[in-house]
Amino acid sequence: MAELTVAAGLARGLLRFAAAKGANEAAMLKRAGIDPADLADQDNRVPFESYVKLMRAGKELANDPALPLHYGEMDDLAEISVVGLIGQASETFMDALAQLNRYNGLVIEVDTGPASRFQVVREGGELLLRDNRTNPNDFPELTESTFARMTCGGRRFTKTEIVKKIYVTHEAPAHRAEYERVLKVPVVFASEKNALVLDEIWLTHKMAIQPRYVFGILSEHAERLLKNLQASKTTRGRVESLLMPLLHTGDVSMDAIATTMAMSRQTLFRKLKAEGTTYEKILDDLRHQIALHYLSGKKVSVNETAYLVGFSEAAAFSRAFKRWTGKSPRDARSA
């Protein structure tokens, strides 16, 4: 299974929140193994395990065992991720939930098996919003922060108590009193499910806190981020990311890339074959895409383009380009 990751914006928000409560930022980052530069862009990614360590370091260094609850209580998802903004631009709560399920991985990737992360169901006469995360008790802090964000955020936006009760699978912690203060609804600990009991109004509740036209703009950005994230999980995506800065050197052997990926040439070959491709095809496709990019910009010559995509001779580049497009590089540049 590919390594799970978390948006840098979520980790950065946690870091700053814990620091405001007295935790030492440098110490938190050191314990989590996170480079501060990795948090500069909120759409960057950090390992899920690093986020777990960051959360637990924050709890200890801020001397606040209820830090996840407090972070969720104060945190607005729209401040740290495009996913929160999309939710605010959705027409209804159910629309927002559909977008959250689609783009949730942009905030934090979790294992849910074949199910969606969040699911609205009726059980025992209650309307539930279930969190289908597997093994939730391995990191109950995520349950705390997620449910606090949803409960307190919903309260801020609607001025009503739309969450009526909460079920969690972990045992009652020593800071149980903070659940009552922050969430303000009954909490059932050691349950067989993680779920919010919702008021029926959620099914038709209007959102649209952001102007509706913003939805399309934000969705396009989220789709690009999602595509990049999904590509980074494939062997092909990783190969492409390693090849990009090396194309102009011409030193793009499969052996060198396999070594960088800490695997043998044979293993890399098998992984790519399982994805329906080959190393040679990836390299050829990448050269094609980059060549088109350079020539369409008309800022570099054909000979310079040949060099930038790894050809030592312009003639060899011209033959390859004609195979790709049916045109000569000069004709493509002129067009």
Side-chain angles (χ1 to χ4, degrees):
M1 182 178 176
E3 181 184 58
L4 299 176
T5 61
V6 174
L10 186 66
R12 186 175 64 193
L14 172 62
L15 179 69
R16 291 176 177 174
F17 182 79
K21 295 180 70 66
N24 182 282
E25 287 193 15
M28 284 182 64
L29 290 170
K30 184 177 181 180
R31 291 194 189 185
I34 297 175
D35 187 326
D38 292 339
L39 303 183
D41 180 353
Q42 73 174 25
D43 290 328
N44 196 12
R45 312 296 301 181
V46 298
F48 180 89
E49 288 305 316
S50 295
Y51 183 70
V52 174
K53 293 176 182 177
L54 189 72
M55 177 70 82
R56 290 175 177 168
K59 288 169 62 176
E60 181 181 337
L61 295 173
N63 192 28
D64 181 7
L67 183 74
L69 275 176
H70 298 151
Y71 181 39
E73 176 187 19
M74 303 303 296
D75 174 45
D76 182 352
L77 188 59
E79 295 290 331
I80 59 177
S81 172
V82 66
V83 181
L85 292 170
I86 288 175
Q88 292 185 3
S90 297
E91 186 173 354
T92 67
F93 165 73
M94 294 301 290
D95 291 335
L97 179 63
Q99 301 308 316
L100 180 60
N101 275 326
R102 175 164 181 75
Y103 298 120
N104 181 69
L106 296 181
V107 183
I108 183 167
E109 294 183 295
V110 296
D111 183 12
T112 62
S116 298
R117 170 79 189 273
F118 299 105
Q119 182 182 15
V120 174
V121 296
R122 292 186 184 277
E123 292 182 6
E126 295 177 323
L127 180 65
L128 301 180
L129 176 63
R130 293 191 65 137
D131 183 344
N132 292 317
R133 185 164 55 101
T134 58
N135 303 316
N137 291 355
D138 290 347
F139 188 33
E141 293 92 338
L142 182 55
T143 303
E144 291 183 324
S145 60
T146 300
F147 282 2
R149 182 182 299 114
M150 288 181 163
T151 303
C152 298
R155 184 181 298 135
R156 284 195 298 270
F157 292 140
T158 65
K159 311 302 181 186
T160 60
E161 295 292 345
I162 294 181
V163 176
K164 301 165 65 176
K165 185 166 66 173
I166 298 176
Y167 294 98
V168 295
T169 54
H170 56 269
E171 298 286 341
H175 56 275
R176 178 174 186 162
E178 277 301 280
Y179 277 75
E180 299 174 4
R181 186 195 67 79
V182 171
L183 302 173
K184 296 180 172 57
V185 295
V187 179
V188 179
F189 293 95
S191 171
E192 50 79 32
K193 57 181 173 281
N194 283 306
L196 304 179
V197 179
L198 303 178
D199 189 293
E200 293 285 338
I201 193 176
W202 267 121
L203 294 177
T204 55
H205 181 71
K206 297 291 184 180
M207 299 285 290
I209 298 167
Q210 297 283 345
R212 183 60 181 168
Y213 77 88
V214 171
F215 181 88
I217 299 171
L218 297 173
S219 295
E220 287 180 10
H221 178 59
E223 284 294 332
R224 287 193 297 271
L225 294 175
L226 188 62
K227 183 179 179 180
N228 291 339
L229 178 59
Q230 291 169 341
S232 72
K233 302 298 179 182
T234 65
T235 303
R236 175 174 186 142
R238 293 177 62 200
V239 168
E240 287 179 338
S241 67
L242 292 172
L243 281 173
M244 282 284 288
L246 299 176
L247 278 184
H248 72 282
T249 69
D251 184 18
V252 289
S253 70
M254 185 174 180
D255 287 330
I257 296 298
T259 299
T260 302
M261 296 174 69
M263 64 180 68
S264 68
R265 177 191 177 97
Q266 292 75 19
T267 299
L268 179 56
F269 174 84
R270 287 196 300 271
K271 286 180 176 291
L272 291 176
K273 183 178 180 181
E275 293 180 7
T277 190
T278 65
Y279 181 83
E280 292 73 18
K281 186 175 188 313
I282 293 172
L283 178 59
D284 195 54
D285 288 348
L286 193 59
R287 282 174 163 164
H288 177 194
Q289 294 168 23
I290 300 303
L292 287 174
H293 172 73
Y294 283 132
L295 292 174
S296 64
K298 299 183 181 180
K299 293 183 179 179
V300 294
S301 68
V302 171
N303 286 348
E304 288 171 329
T305 299
Y307 163 75
L308 289 170
V309 296
F311 287 87
S312 57
E313 297 180 356
F317 169 63
S318 294
R319 288 194 295 273
F321 194 87
K322 194 162 187 179
R323 171 170 57 81
W324 293 329
T325 67
K327 300 178 182 179
S328 72
R330 297 188 187 283
D331 288 343
R333 189 175 187 277
S334 298

